[in-house]
Amino acid sequence: MVARIWAGTDIGKTHHHCVALDSEGRRLLSRRVLDDEPELLTLLSEVLALDEDVVWAVDVADGMAALWINVLLNHGQHLVYIPGLAVNRASAGYRGMGKTDAKDATVIADQARMRRDLAVIRPDDEQAIELRILTSRRADLTADRTRRTNRLRHQLVGIFPALERVLDLGNSGPLILLSGYQTPAALRRTGRRRLESWLRNRSVRSADLLAQAAVEAAERQHTAVPGEKIIAQVIHTLAKEVMSLNEQISEIDKLIAARFREHDLAELITSMPGIGPLLGAEFLAATAGDMSRYGSADRLASFAGVAPVPRDSGNVSGNLHRPRRYHRGLQRVFYTSALISIRSCEESRRFYERKRAEGKRHIQAVLALARRRVNVLWALIRDGRCYQAELQVATAA
């Protein structure tokens, strides 16, 4: 597109600031606008009145920018994205030491005017948007569960360290146990047989082993710690909260799997060893399954953070590091699936072992495998075919 105007928008929670520049970098318009559809439509008409050939740029690609982005896309506008970190660093090269919304919007517009490597924002299909929302919600729930589990461990080790050592709080059985018993004295009074029966009535697996381990831990501690009673109540509450979060995560996993299987690329993506419905949904949430956005497998690998970048200086060369800017969710997809494929796929295991034999550390070998898998998945989506072992060999060659 040959543009004659570049309009940059500094995104805010309640208001945005838009600046329009001409081909010489002269400011044609600078306006603060409420994040409200009538106001945004007025701004759009004002900019288009200056010239119809406009390239729009934003520094936020979702969330509080969603309404403005969809207004632009629904009116057929060309929209690019420049990360906030890039805007922050670029602004140091502009006149003035202060920071204002107007200056940031000017930097966004000017960077869009000068650069040709910015990502183009395109409308996503409804399925990709739903998967993005669901996977984001799952990430929030998982983070909440991790925080509460860590708090639970911290409280438990404060009054009953012997029990904390023998419990795996990643399983439901120990959580059920802590919802009913939190102190050594309570476990000793109950005894192993009654505790085992109590656990069995709540459908706990290996109730006999868990009851035995808990009572043995109680027999090793006869000292009551100050504040034990109130801490026990906190442990009871935290255990219930973690159990509730486990149920919510289980429900959203079912919803994600159902939405993912409805996507046209679902069968193709899950044909790759190591990628199931959850990782496949996260891949679609990050890319929408549209490989044309990246141009090549190399750009997708860079976006996913599995392609090392050089950091040379002077006589130092060949110094490769992980890129500083990449999509962490997409990196998790390729890295985690690579780990799983080492156990489930003979070709992946041989590749990993070869890299280890070359002297690479574990993480380096897994990242090398993840980088290779980007090429394979790219080829699968490009050709519209499911994974075959010989395809991976041919792609690597």
Side-chain angles (χ1 to χ4, degrees), residues 33 42 65 68 116 160 170 202 211 238 250 264 302 310 320 327 350 368:
V33 59
T42 301
W68 181 222
R116 298 294 179 268
F160 199 172
R202 287 157 179 79
L238 287 171
S250 178
D264 294 339
S302 177
L320 300 177
H327 194 291
R350 285 201 300 265

Side-chain angles (χ1 to χ4, degrees), residues 287-328:
T287 66
D290 183 5
M291 298 298 99
S292 64
R293 299 183 178 192
Y294 307 99
S296 68
D298 293 339
R299 290 194 64 181
L300 176 61
S302 177
F303 181 63
V306 296
V309 296
R311 199 173 298 172
D312 299 340
S313 179
N315 295 327
V316 178
S317 60
N319 194 13
L320 300 177
H321 290 266
R322 187 180 303 179
R324 292 182 179 178
R325 287 196 300 110
Y326 57 90
H327 194 291
R328 282 160 175 75

Side-chain angles (χ1 to χ4, degrees), residues 170-385:
N171 294 326
S172 61
L175 293 172
I176 294 174
L177 171 67
L178 291 176
S179 69
Y181 300 91
Q182 303 86 28
T183 64
L187 287 170
R188 285 196 301 272
R189 284 195 302 269
T190 303
R192 186 181 65 80
R193 290 186 179 179
R194 287 175 58 193
L195 180 60
E196 179 182 339
S197 176
W198 185 86
L199 292 171
R200 288 190 187 280
N201 290 337
R202 287 157 179 79
S203 303
V204 175
R205 292 183 179 180
S206 303
D208 54 341
L209 299 178
L210 180 58
Q212 181 179 349
V215 173
E216 287 178 355
E219 292 295 342
R220 290 195 295 272
Q221 180 177 333
H222 292 264
T223 300
V225 177
E228 181 180 79
K229 184 176 180 180
I230 191 65
I231 293 175
Q233 294 178 10
V234 172
I235 290 173
H236 165 81
T237 301
L238 287 171
K240 288 286 190 179
E241 289 176 353
V242 175
M243 291 165 61
S244 175
L245 286 168
N246 283 338
E247 293 176 1
Q248 293 180 59
I249 292 172
S250 178
E251 288 299 318
I252 204 168
D253 281 349
K254 296 176 183 177
L255 192 56
I256 289 172
R259 289 289 191 275
F260 171 72
R261 292 191 184 98
E262 294 173 358
H263 199 279
D264 294 339
L265 295 176
E267 182 180 358
L268 184 153
I269 292 171
T270 53
S271 69
M272 277 280 289
I275 299 184
L278 180 57
L279 290 178
E282 291 180 3
F283 173 78
L284 290 176
T287 66
D290 183 5
M291 298 298 99
S292 64
R293 299 183 178 192
Y294 307 99
S296 68
D298 293 339
R299 290 194 64 181
L300 176 61
S302 177
F303 181 63
V306 296
V309 296
R311 199 173 298 172
D312 299 340
S313 179
N315 295 327
V316 178
S317 60
N319 194 13
L320 300 177
H321 290 266
R322 187 180 303 179
R324 292 182 179 178
R325 287 196 300 110
Y326 57 90
H327 194 291
R328 282 160 175 75
L330 196 55
Q331 184 193 65
R332 191 186 97 84
V333 170
F334 285 111
Y335 188 87
T336 305
S337 67
L339 281 174
I340 297 172
S341 70
I342 292 172
R343 300 191 298 268
S344 61
C345 175
E346 182 64 29
E347 290 79 12
S348 296
R349 183 164 56 253
R350 285 201 300 265
F351 181 89
Y352 169 81
E353 291 173 350
R354 185 167 72 250
K355 292 299 176 182
R356 292 286 283 165
E358 293 172 2
K360 294 187 181 296
R361 298 191 300 273
H362 168 70
I363 293 179
Q364 292 175 320
V366 176
L367 282 172
L369 176 59
R371 173 64 184 89
R372 181 187 185 183
R373 288 167 61 84
V374 172
N375 287 356
V376 177
L377 187 55
W378 175 277
L380 295 179
I381 296 176
R382 178 197 63 198
D383 300 338
R385 57 186 296 189

Side-chain angles (χ1 to χ4, degrees), residues 114-156:
M114 295 186 295
R115 294 179 58 172
R116 298 294 179 268
D117 61 340
L118 298 179
V120 177
I121 298 179
R122 301 174 183 173
D124 287 335
D125 60 76
E126 193 71 17
Q127 288 175 307
I129 294 172
E130 289 181 354
L131 289 173
R132 188 175 302 132
I133 294 170
L134 290 173
T135 53
S136 177
R137 173 60 178 162
R138 187 188 190 278
D140 290 341
L141 291 173
T142 303
D144 288 342
R145 180 178 63 181
T146 300
R147 283 192 292 269
R148 282 171 170 78
T149 302
N150 289 338
R151 290 172 190 154
L152 177 57
R153 286 192 176 280
H154 175 74
Q155 296 291 347
L156 183 59

